[in-house]
Amino acid sequence: MNKRMIYLDNAATTPVLDEVLEEMLPYMSARYGNPSSLHSVGRDAKAALDKARERICNALNMDGSGSMVIFTSGATEANNLAIKGFAYRMLRDGISKDDLMVIASSIEHESVLEPCRALEKEGFNVRYLPVDKDGMLKSESLEHILASSKCKSILVSVMLANNEVGTIQRLKEIAEVAHKYGAFVHSDAAQAIGKVKVDARELAVDMLTISAHKAYGPKGIGALCISKDVRLEPILHGGGHEYGLRSGTQNVPGIVGLGKVAELVPRFIALYQGRVRQLRDRLIKGLLEIPYTRLNGHPEERLANNAHISFLGVNGEDLIIKLDEHGIAVSTGSACSTLKQKESHVLRAMGLSREEINGSLRLTLGIQNDEQDVDYTLEVMADVVRELRRVSPYSKYRS
Ligand SMILES: Cc1ncc(COP(=O)(O)O)c(C=O)c1O
Protein backbone atom coordinates (compact mmCIF):
# COMPACT_ATOMS: atom_id res chain seq x y z
CA MET A 1 0.00 0.00 0.00
CA ASN A 2 1.62 3.27 -1.04
CA LYS A 3 -1.15 5.69 -0.17
CA ARG A 4 -2.87 6.15 3.20
CA MET A 5 -6.02 4.09 3.17
CA ILE A 6 -8.99 4.73 5.39
CA TYR A 7 -9.52 1.19 6.48
CA LEU A 8 -13.18 0.51 7.30
CA ASP A 9 -13.13 -3.27 6.95
CA ASN A 10 -12.17 -4.23 10.49
CA ALA A 11 -14.67 -7.10 10.52
CA ALA A 12 -12.59 -8.79 7.81
CA THR A 13 -9.37 -8.35 9.72
CA THR A 14 -7.48 -5.80 11.82
CA PRO A 15 -3.90 -4.56 11.81
CA VAL A 16 -1.62 -6.22 14.37
CA LEU A 17 -1.01 -3.88 17.28
CA ASP A 18 2.66 -3.03 18.03
CA GLU A 19 2.31 -4.30 21.60
CA VAL A 20 1.08 -7.66 20.30
CA LEU A 21 3.84 -7.94 17.70
CA GLU A 22 6.51 -7.08 20.28
CA GLU A 23 5.50 -10.02 22.48
CA MET A 24 5.41 -12.36 19.50
CA LEU A 25 8.75 -11.50 17.89
CA PRO A 26 11.12 -13.31 20.31
CA TYR A 27 9.17 -16.54 19.67
CA MET A 28 10.00 -16.23 15.96
CA SER A 29 13.73 -16.07 16.62
CA ALA A 30 15.60 -16.58 19.92
CA ARG A 31 12.79 -18.43 21.75
CA TYR A 32 12.15 -21.01 19.03
CA GLY A 33 11.50 -24.10 21.17
CA ASN A 34 8.97 -26.82 20.48
CA PRO A 35 6.57 -26.90 23.45
CA SER A 36 6.57 -30.71 23.38
CA SER A 37 10.35 -30.94 23.96
CA LEU A 38 11.48 -31.83 27.46
CA HIS A 39 14.62 -29.65 27.55
CA SER A 40 14.70 -26.07 28.73
CA VAL A 41 14.31 -24.59 25.22
CA GLY A 42 11.08 -26.55 24.84
CA ARG A 43 9.94 -25.77 28.37
CA ASP A 44 10.33 -22.05 27.62
CA ALA A 45 7.87 -22.42 24.70
CA LYS A 46 5.54 -24.54 26.85
CA ALA A 47 5.53 -21.79 29.49
CA ALA A 48 4.46 -19.29 26.80
CA LEU A 49 1.54 -21.55 25.89
CA ASP A 50 0.51 -21.91 29.53
CA LYS A 51 0.60 -18.14 29.99
CA ALA A 52 -1.57 -17.60 26.89
CA ARG A 53 -4.10 -20.19 28.09
CA GLU A 54 -4.30 -18.45 31.45
CA ARG A 55 -4.81 -15.03 29.84
CA ILE A 56 -7.60 -16.43 27.64
CA CYS A 57 -9.31 -18.12 30.62
CA ASN A 58 -9.19 -14.82 32.51
CA ALA A 59 -10.52 -12.81 29.55
CA LEU A 60 -13.44 -15.22 29.07
CA ASN A 61 -14.01 -15.81 32.80
CA MET A 62 -13.72 -19.54 32.26
CA ASP A 63 -13.93 -21.89 35.14
CA GLY A 64 -10.41 -23.05 36.01
CA SER A 65 -11.47 -26.55 36.98
CA GLY A 66 -11.28 -28.73 33.91
CA SER A 67 -12.05 -26.14 31.23
CA MET A 68 -9.75 -26.33 28.23
CA VAL A 69 -8.36 -23.86 25.71
CA ILE A 70 -7.57 -25.76 22.51
CA PHE A 71 -5.40 -23.75 20.14
CA THR A 72 -6.39 -24.00 16.47
CA SER A 73 -5.45 -22.33 13.18
CA GLY A 74 -8.30 -19.86 13.63
CA ALA A 75 -12.03 -19.61 14.15
CA THR A 76 -12.78 -21.74 11.08
CA GLU A 77 -10.97 -24.73 12.54
CA ALA A 78 -12.37 -24.11 16.02
CA ASN A 79 -15.92 -24.10 14.62
CA ASN A 80 -15.26 -27.31 12.66
CA LEU A 81 -13.85 -28.97 15.76
CA ALA A 82 -16.84 -27.91 17.86
CA ILE A 83 -19.46 -29.16 15.41
CA LYS A 84 -17.92 -32.18 13.74
CA GLY A 85 -15.97 -33.08 16.87
CA PHE A 86 -19.18 -33.15 18.91
CA ALA A 87 -21.16 -35.21 16.37
CA TYR A 88 -18.39 -37.77 15.79
CA ARG A 89 -17.72 -38.17 19.51
CA MET A 90 -21.39 -38.84 20.27
CA LEU A 91 -21.37 -41.44 17.52
CA ARG A 92 -18.25 -43.05 19.01
CA ASP A 93 -19.97 -43.03 22.42
CA GLY A 94 -22.72 -45.20 20.92
CA ILE A 95 -25.40 -42.60 20.20
CA SER A 96 -27.04 -43.28 16.85
CA LYS A 97 -27.42 -40.62 14.17
CA ASP A 98 -31.19 -40.69 14.77
CA ASP A 99 -30.63 -39.76 18.41
CA LEU A 100 -28.31 -36.91 17.61
CA MET A 101 -29.07 -33.40 16.42
CA VAL A 102 -27.11 -30.25 15.58
CA ILE A 103 -29.03 -26.96 15.52
CA ALA A 104 -27.47 -23.80 14.09
CA SER A 105 -28.82 -20.37 13.31
CA SER A 106 -29.32 -19.65 9.63
CA ILE A 107 -27.02 -16.59 9.80
CA GLU A 108 -23.93 -18.38 11.10
CA HIS A 109 -20.58 -17.88 9.43
CA GLU A 110 -19.79 -20.38 6.64
CA SER A 111 -17.30 -22.06 8.96
CA VAL A 112 -20.28 -23.22 11.05
CA LEU A 113 -22.75 -23.76 8.21
CA GLU A 114 -20.42 -25.79 6.01
CA PRO A 115 -19.53 -28.40 8.68
CA CYS A 116 -23.27 -28.59 9.41
CA ARG A 117 -23.98 -29.24 5.72
CA ALA A 118 -21.16 -31.81 5.61
CA LEU A 119 -22.77 -33.62 8.57
CA GLU A 120 -26.15 -33.51 6.83
CA LYS A 121 -24.60 -35.22 3.80
CA GLU A 122 -23.36 -37.94 6.14
CA GLY A 123 -26.90 -38.52 7.35
CA PHE A 124 -26.82 -36.50 10.57
CA ASN A 125 -29.87 -34.58 11.69
CA VAL A 126 -29.26 -30.81 11.31
CA ARG A 127 -31.76 -27.98 11.78
CA TYR A 128 -31.40 -24.27 11.04
CA LEU A 129 -33.07 -21.55 13.10
CA PRO A 130 -34.72 -18.54 11.43
CA VAL A 131 -34.01 -14.92 12.38
CA ASP A 132 -36.21 -11.82 12.25
CA LYS A 133 -35.71 -8.80 9.98
CA ASP A 134 -33.02 -7.42 12.34
CA GLY A 135 -31.07 -10.67 12.29
CA MET A 136 -32.17 -11.57 15.81
CA LEU A 137 -32.94 -15.16 16.70
CA LYS A 138 -36.04 -15.95 18.72
CA SER A 139 -35.49 -18.40 21.55
CA GLU A 140 -39.07 -19.65 21.03
CA SER A 141 -38.10 -21.14 17.66
CA LEU A 142 -35.31 -23.07 19.41
CA GLU A 143 -37.67 -24.16 22.18
CA HIS A 144 -40.16 -25.35 19.58
CA ILE A 145 -37.58 -27.71 18.01
CA LEU A 146 -36.19 -28.90 21.36
CA ALA A 147 -39.59 -29.56 22.92
CA SER A 148 -40.66 -31.79 20.05
CA SER A 149 -37.32 -33.61 19.70
CA LYS A 150 -36.64 -37.06 21.09
CA CYS A 151 -32.89 -36.84 20.43
CA LYS A 152 -30.60 -37.87 23.28
CA SER A 153 -27.75 -35.59 22.34
CA ILE A 154 -28.09 -32.09 20.90
CA LEU A 155 -25.66 -29.30 20.07
CA VAL A 156 -26.92 -25.74 19.53
CA SER A 157 -24.54 -23.39 17.72
CA VAL A 158 -25.39 -19.69 17.78
CA MET A 159 -22.89 -16.92 17.12
CA LEU A 160 -22.59 -14.10 19.64
CA ALA A 161 -22.25 -11.31 17.07
CA ASN A 162 -22.87 -11.51 13.35
CA ASN A 163 -19.97 -10.74 11.03
CA GLU A 164 -22.09 -9.05 8.37
CA VAL A 165 -24.78 -6.97 10.06
CA GLY A 166 -23.31 -6.92 13.58
CA THR A 167 -26.47 -8.07 15.39
CA ILE A 168 -25.67 -9.32 18.90
CA GLN A 169 -27.74 -12.34 19.92
CA ARG A 170 -29.41 -12.76 23.31
CA LEU A 171 -27.14 -15.72 23.88
CA LYS A 172 -27.78 -16.17 27.60
CA GLU A 173 -31.50 -16.59 26.91
CA ILE A 174 -30.77 -19.07 24.12
CA ALA A 175 -28.34 -21.05 26.30
CA GLU A 176 -30.92 -21.23 29.10
CA VAL A 177 -33.51 -22.72 26.76
CA ALA A 178 -30.96 -25.17 25.32
CA HIS A 179 -29.83 -26.32 28.78
CA LYS A 180 -33.44 -26.80 29.91
CA TYR A 181 -33.57 -29.60 27.32
CA GLY A 182 -30.08 -30.92 28.10
CA ALA A 183 -28.49 -29.56 24.91
CA PHE A 184 -24.91 -28.30 24.69
CA VAL A 185 -24.26 -24.77 23.45
CA HIS A 186 -21.45 -23.59 21.19
CA SER A 187 -20.96 -19.95 20.27
CA ASP A 188 -18.74 -18.44 17.61
CA ALA A 189 -17.47 -15.29 19.35
CA ALA A 190 -14.90 -14.42 16.64
CA GLN A 191 -16.50 -11.04 15.99
CA ALA A 192 -17.53 -10.34 19.57
CA ILE A 193 -14.22 -10.76 21.36
CA GLY A 194 -12.75 -7.38 22.32
CA LYS A 195 -15.92 -5.51 21.42
CA VAL A 196 -18.43 -6.77 23.97
CA LYS A 197 -17.96 -8.65 27.22
CA VAL A 198 -17.66 -12.37 26.51
CA ASP A 199 -18.14 -14.07 29.86
CA ALA A 200 -18.40 -17.83 29.40
CA ARG A 201 -19.87 -18.34 32.87
CA GLU A 202 -22.46 -15.58 32.61
CA LEU A 203 -23.48 -16.63 29.10
CA ALA A 204 -23.55 -20.27 30.27
CA VAL A 205 -22.10 -21.61 27.03
CA ASP A 206 -20.22 -24.90 26.80
CA MET A 207 -17.93 -24.04 23.88
CA LEU A 208 -16.62 -20.72 22.63
CA THR A 209 -14.71 -19.96 19.42
CA ILE A 210 -12.27 -17.07 19.27
CA SER A 211 -9.81 -15.75 16.68
CA ALA A 212 -6.90 -13.33 17.09
CA HIS A 213 -6.97 -11.41 13.82
CA LYS A 214 -10.36 -9.78 14.40
CA ALA A 215 -8.92 -8.09 17.51
CA TYR A 216 -5.50 -6.70 16.56
CA GLY A 217 -3.71 -10.04 16.72
CA PRO A 218 -2.10 -12.20 14.03
CA LYS A 219 -3.88 -14.29 11.41
CA GLY A 220 -3.87 -18.07 11.54
CA ILE A 221 -4.47 -18.51 15.26
CA GLY A 222 -7.61 -19.05 17.28
CA ALA A 223 -8.97 -21.30 19.96
CA LEU A 224 -11.90 -23.43 20.94
CA CYS A 225 -12.57 -23.00 24.65
CA ILE A 226 -14.58 -25.82 26.16
CA SER A 227 -16.09 -26.54 29.55
CA LYS A 228 -15.20 -29.71 31.43
CA ASP A 229 -18.43 -31.54 30.48
CA VAL A 230 -17.84 -31.36 26.73
CA ARG A 231 -16.51 -34.44 24.96
CA LEU A 232 -15.10 -34.10 21.45
CA GLU A 233 -13.53 -36.29 18.81
CA PRO A 234 -10.42 -34.79 17.17
CA ILE A 235 -10.71 -33.86 13.51
CA LEU A 236 -6.93 -33.59 13.05
CA HIS A 237 -5.11 -36.76 14.07
CA GLY A 238 -1.41 -37.05 14.83
CA GLY A 239 0.90 -36.61 17.77
CA GLY A 240 -1.89 -35.87 20.25
CA HIS A 241 -1.16 -32.21 20.97
CA GLU A 242 -3.75 -29.96 22.63
CA TYR A 243 -5.18 -32.62 24.97
CA GLY A 244 -5.37 -35.05 22.03
CA LEU A 245 -7.92 -32.82 20.31
CA ARG A 246 -5.73 -30.98 17.79
CA SER A 247 -2.52 -32.58 16.68
CA GLY A 248 0.32 -30.55 15.21
CA THR A 249 3.16 -28.53 16.73
CA GLN A 250 1.62 -25.40 18.14
CA ASN A 251 2.01 -22.00 16.48
CA VAL A 252 3.86 -20.54 19.46
CA PRO A 253 4.30 -16.92 18.18
CA GLY A 254 0.63 -16.87 17.12
CA ILE A 255 -0.48 -18.24 20.48
CA VAL A 256 1.59 -15.62 22.30
CA GLY A 257 -0.16 -13.00 20.11
CA LEU A 258 -3.59 -14.42 20.93
CA GLY A 259 -2.71 -14.40 24.62
CA LYS A 260 -1.71 -10.75 24.42
CA VAL A 261 -5.00 -9.95 22.64
CA ALA A 262 -6.83 -11.65 25.53
CA GLU A 263 -4.93 -9.52 28.02
CA LEU A 264 -5.88 -6.37 26.09
CA VAL A 265 -9.59 -7.27 25.89
CA PRO A 266 -10.77 -4.87 28.67
CA ARG A 267 -8.95 -1.98 26.98
CA PHE A 268 -10.43 -2.84 23.58
CA ILE A 269 -13.95 -3.07 25.00
CA ALA A 270 -13.62 0.37 26.63
CA LEU A 271 -12.46 1.85 23.31
CA TYR A 272 -15.21 0.19 21.28
CA GLN A 273 -17.95 1.09 23.73
CA GLY A 274 -16.69 4.68 23.92
CA ARG A 275 -14.96 6.34 20.99
CA VAL A 276 -15.65 3.74 18.28
CA ARG A 277 -19.38 3.69 19.09
CA GLN A 278 -19.52 7.50 18.78
CA LEU A 279 -17.76 7.34 15.41
CA ARG A 280 -20.10 4.56 14.29
CA ASP A 281 -23.17 6.62 15.24
CA ARG A 282 -21.81 9.62 13.36
CA LEU A 283 -21.14 7.39 10.34
CA ILE A 284 -24.61 5.79 10.36
CA LYS A 285 -26.36 9.14 10.82
CA GLY A 286 -24.43 10.65 7.90
CA LEU A 287 -24.98 7.65 5.62
CA LEU A 288 -28.71 7.59 6.29
CA GLU A 289 -28.92 11.22 5.20
CA ILE A 290 -28.18 9.98 1.67
CA PRO A 291 -31.60 9.39 0.04
CA TYR A 292 -32.94 5.84 -0.39
CA THR A 293 -30.77 4.16 2.22
CA ARG A 294 -31.59 1.82 5.10
CA LEU A 295 -29.66 0.42 8.03
CA ASN A 296 -29.47 -3.38 8.21
CA GLY A 297 -29.12 -5.37 11.42
CA HIS A 298 -30.52 -4.57 14.84
CA PRO A 299 -30.68 -0.79 15.42
CA GLU A 300 -29.40 -1.02 19.03
CA GLU A 301 -28.18 -4.54 19.77
CA ARG A 302 -25.35 -4.40 17.27
CA LEU A 303 -21.57 -4.29 17.39
CA ALA A 304 -20.29 -0.82 18.28
CA ASN A 305 -18.20 -0.66 15.09
CA ASN A 306 -20.68 -1.94 12.50
CA ALA A 307 -22.59 0.14 9.94
CA HIS A 308 -24.36 -2.03 7.36
CA ILE A 309 -26.32 0.01 4.87
CA SER A 310 -28.34 -0.69 1.72
CA PHE A 311 -28.02 2.00 -0.95
CA LEU A 312 -30.94 1.38 -3.28
CA GLY A 313 -30.28 1.55 -7.01
CA VAL A 314 -26.54 0.97 -6.54
CA ASN A 315 -24.46 -2.17 -6.76
CA GLY A 316 -22.39 -2.89 -3.63
CA GLU A 317 -19.37 -4.13 -5.61
CA ASP A 318 -19.34 -0.96 -7.74
CA LEU A 319 -19.37 1.06 -4.52
CA ILE A 320 -16.37 -0.85 -3.17
CA ILE A 321 -14.34 -0.18 -6.31
CA LYS A 322 -15.24 3.52 -6.42
CA LEU A 323 -14.50 3.99 -2.72
CA ASP A 324 -11.18 2.16 -3.11
CA GLU A 325 -10.21 4.67 -5.82
CA HIS A 326 -10.79 7.34 -3.17
CA GLY A 327 -8.64 5.51 -0.61
CA ILE A 328 -11.46 3.96 1.43
CA ALA A 329 -11.57 0.20 2.09
CA VAL A 330 -15.00 -1.31 2.79
CA SER A 331 -16.77 -4.58 2.03
CA THR A 332 -20.12 -5.99 0.95
CA GLY A 333 -20.24 -8.66 3.62
CA SER A 334 -18.13 -11.45 4.91
CA ALA A 335 -14.65 -11.62 3.40
CA CYS A 336 -14.99 -15.37 2.99
CA SER A 337 -18.17 -15.31 0.90
CA THR A 338 -16.73 -12.56 -1.30
CA LEU A 339 -14.44 -15.24 -2.68
CA LYS A 340 -17.47 -17.27 -3.66
CA GLN A 341 -19.31 -14.23 -5.10
CA LYS A 342 -22.72 -15.27 -3.92
CA GLU A 343 -25.63 -13.45 -2.41
CA SER A 344 -25.40 -13.03 1.34
CA HIS A 345 -27.24 -15.84 3.15
CA VAL A 346 -27.49 -13.54 6.17
CA LEU A 347 -29.37 -10.79 4.36
CA ARG A 348 -31.56 -13.39 2.65
CA ALA A 349 -32.43 -14.98 6.01
CA MET A 350 -33.37 -11.51 7.30
CA GLY A 351 -35.83 -11.16 4.40
CA LEU A 352 -34.15 -8.29 2.53
CA SER A 353 -35.24 -7.72 -1.07
CA ARG A 354 -32.89 -8.50 -3.97
CA GLU A 355 -32.38 -4.77 -4.49
CA GLU A 356 -31.54 -4.17 -0.81
CA ILE A 357 -29.06 -7.04 -0.90
CA ASN A 358 -27.40 -5.85 -4.14
CA GLY A 359 -26.91 -2.36 -2.78
CA SER A 360 -25.60 -3.35 0.63
CA LEU A 361 -22.28 -2.29 2.08
CA ARG A 362 -20.52 -3.11 5.36
CA LEU A 363 -18.40 -0.44 6.99
CA THR A 364 -16.62 -1.62 10.13
CA LEU A 365 -14.57 0.79 12.20
CA GLY A 366 -11.56 0.00 14.34
CA ILE A 367 -9.72 1.61 17.22
CA GLN A 368 -7.36 3.23 14.68
CA ASN A 369 -10.09 5.31 12.98
CA ASP A 370 -10.90 8.91 13.81
CA GLU A 371 -13.49 11.62 13.06
CA GLN A 372 -11.65 12.76 9.94
CA ASP A 373 -11.93 9.24 8.51
CA VAL A 374 -15.68 9.28 9.09
CA ASP A 375 -16.22 12.78 7.68
CA TYR A 376 -14.13 12.09 4.59
CA THR A 377 -16.01 8.82 4.00
CA LEU A 378 -19.36 10.58 4.28
CA GLU A 379 -18.29 13.24 1.82
CA VAL A 380 -16.99 10.73 -0.72
CA MET A 381 -19.91 8.36 -0.27
CA ALA A 382 -22.54 10.99 -1.08
CA ASP A 383 -20.72 11.85 -4.33
CA VAL A 384 -20.04 8.24 -5.32
CA VAL A 385 -23.61 7.10 -4.69
CA ARG A 386 -24.97 10.06 -6.68
CA GLU A 387 -22.58 9.27 -9.54
CA LEU A 388 -23.46 5.57 -9.63
CA ARG A 389 -27.17 6.28 -9.47
CA ARG A 390 -26.85 8.60 -12.45
CA VAL A 391 -25.82 5.64 -14.60
CA SER A 392 -28.09 3.14 -12.84
CA PRO A 393 -31.03 1.55 -14.70
CA TYR A 394 -33.18 2.36 -11.65
CA SER A 395 -34.07 5.93 -12.66
CA LYS A 396 -36.30 6.44 -9.61
CA TYR A 397 -33.26 6.78 -7.31
CA ARG A 398 -31.55 9.59 -9.25
CA SER A 399 -31.28 12.87 -7.38
C1 LIG B 1 -18.06 -14.89 12.81
C2 LIG B 1 -16.84 -15.47 12.19
N1 LIG B 1 -16.54 -16.76 12.41
C3 LIG B 1 -15.46 -17.33 11.87
C4 LIG B 1 -14.61 -16.63 11.06
C5 LIG B 1 -13.39 -17.31 10.49
O1 LIG B 1 -12.27 -16.87 11.21
P1 LIG B 1 -10.78 -17.31 10.84
O2 LIG B 1 -10.36 -16.37 9.76
O3 LIG B 1 -10.01 -17.11 12.11
O4 LIG B 1 -10.82 -18.72 10.42
C6 LIG B 1 -14.88 -15.28 10.78
C7 LIG B 1 -14.00 -14.52 9.87
O5 LIG B 1 -14.43 -13.91 8.91
C8 LIG B 1 -16.02 -14.69 11.36
O6 LIG B 1 -16.32 -13.41 11.13
Side-chain angles (χ1 to χ4, degrees):
M1 272 194 300
N2 45 13
K3 59 181 178 185
R4 185 180 116 77
M5 285 294 288
I6 295 180
Y7 184 72
L8 299 179
D9 199 11
N10 289 277
T13 196
T14 52
V16 177
L17 219 59
D18 289 346
E19 283 167 79
V20 176
L21 185 63
E22 258 167 48
E23 282 213 20
M24 291 171 63
L25 282 176
Y27 293 93
M28 288 176 165
S29 52
R31 304 175 80 169
Y32 52 81
N34 182 328
S36 300
S37 303
L38 291 179
H39 46 65
S40 54
V41 186
R43 289 202 308 274
D44 179 55
K46 166 80 168 47
L49 258 56
D50 292 343
K51 184 174 169 186
R53 277 190 232 279
E54 200 184 312
R55 281 171 157 178
I56 293 166
C57 282
N58 285 340
L60 302 177
N61 191 22
M62 276 170 57
D63 187 354
S65 60
S67 305
M68 284 191 280
V69 175
I70 304 149
F71 292 116
T72 62
S73 62
T76 298
E77 192 192 324
N79 287 340
N80 272 265
L81 177 59
I83 290 159
K84 289 179 145 183
F86 177 85
Y88 295 153
R89 176 60 192 252
M90 292 304 112
L91 213 56
R92 178 153 78 89
D93 286 353
I95 294 177
S96 77
K97 283 182 182 169
D98 289 341
D99 277 335
L100 229 162
M101 181 157 58
V102 176
I103 306 174
S105 91
S106 49
I107 60 162
E108 291 300 306
H109 188 264
E110 297 290 355
S111 57
V112 166
L113 292 176
E114 284 299 325
C116 284
R117 289 181 193 124
L119 287 178
E120 261 186 289
K121 282 192 196 127
E122 289 176 42
F124 286 91
N125 200 354
V126 182
R127 302 284 296 271
Y128 301 94
L129 298 169
V131 292
D132 67 14
K133 64 174 190 12
D134 295 328
M136 191 65 87
L137 204 119
K138 288 201 180 73
S139 52
E140 301 91 78
S141 59
L142 173 64
E143 179 131 33
H144 181 73
I145 295 179
L146 292 174
S148 57
S149 162
K150 296 206 166 47
C151 289
K152 285 189 193 136
S153 194
I154 301 174
L155 175 66
V156 177
S157 183
V158 171
M159 68 202 324
L160 185 47
N162 183 265
N163 49 302
E164 293 192 35
V165 294
T167 299
I168 301 169
Q169 299 298 332
R170 294 166 194 135
L171 190 57
K172 189 170 161 27
E173 207 177 294
I174 291 161
E176 274 166 11
V177 171
H179 287 150
K180 196 166 99 183
Y181 293 91
F184 285 92
V185 180
H186 163 248
S187 184
D188 175 354
Q191 290 288 344
I193 188 93
K195 301 192 188 86
V196 291
K197 190 168 139 201
V198 183
D199 184 320
R201 247 184 274 185
E202 203 175 294
L203 293 170
V205 291
D206 305 290
M207 293 193 264
L208 265 176
T209 287
I210 58 169
S211 181
H213 76 103
K214 310 285 186 184
Y216 310 95
K219 292 165 188 61
I221 187 69
L224 181 67
C225 309
I226 66 176
S227 75
K228 62 179 186 318
D229 304 321
V230 175
R231 292 195 311 278
L232 297 174
E233 186 74 1
I235 51 172
L236 273 185
H237 302 266
H241 307 76
E242 296 298 299
Y243 313 99
L245 288 171
R246 201 279 184 182
S247 287
T249 303
Q250 291 91 340
N251 169 2
V252 181
I255 290 169
V256 169
L258 179 60
K260 184 65 183 174
V261 164
E263 195 212 38
L264 293 171
V265 155
R267 201 208 293 172
F268 291 149
I269 293 178
L271 284 168
Y272 273 98
Q273 294 306 328
R275 204 167 56 82
V276 177
R277 179 184 289 276
Q278 281 171 7
L279 291 176
R280 194 269 325 255
D281 290 346
R282 186 184 181 100
L283 182 64
I284 290 180
K285 185 169 172 291
L287 292 174
L288 293 181
E289 277 168 15
I290 298 173
Y292 306 112
T293 47
R294 59 160 276 175
L295 176 70
N296 302 315
H298 198 283
E300 285 98 35
E301 288 167 58
R302 67 185 302 127
L303 288 175
N305 70 329
N306 178 297
H308 195 289
I309 310 275
S310 287
F311 298 87
L312 299 184
V314 178
N315 184 288
E317 271 92 33
D318 293 342
L319 266 177
I320 293 180
I321 293 163
K322 282 279 173 203
L323 291 170
D324 192 45
E325 286 169 7
H326 287 87
I328 302 167
V330 297
S331 137
T332 50
S334 90
C336 314
S337 43
T338 316
L339 293 177
K340 295 186 189 164
Q341 287 295 334
K342 64 178 175 101
E343 204 176 82
S344 157
H345 66 281
V346 175
L347 301 183
R348 242 189 297 127
M350 288 163 56
L352 265 69
S353 68
R354 176 62 56 82
E355 206 185 353
E356 287 165 335
I357 296 177
N358 283 348
S360 67
L361 206 65
R362 179 186 73 181
L363 302 96
T364 45
L365 293 147
I367 58 174
Q368 73 279 21
N369 293 118
D370 57 24
E371 270 184 23
Q372 278 154 303
D373 293 348
V374 171
D375 292 346
Y376 175 70
T377 302
L378 290 175
E379 205 183 295
V380 171
M381 189 74 86
D383 289 345
V384 165
V385 170
R386 201 177 310 113
E387 194 187 320
L388 288 173
R389 279 181 180 156
R390 213 175 293 135
V391 293
S392 154
Y394 302 98
S395 56
K396 60 180 168 174
Y397 301 122
R398 283 177 204 149
S399 55

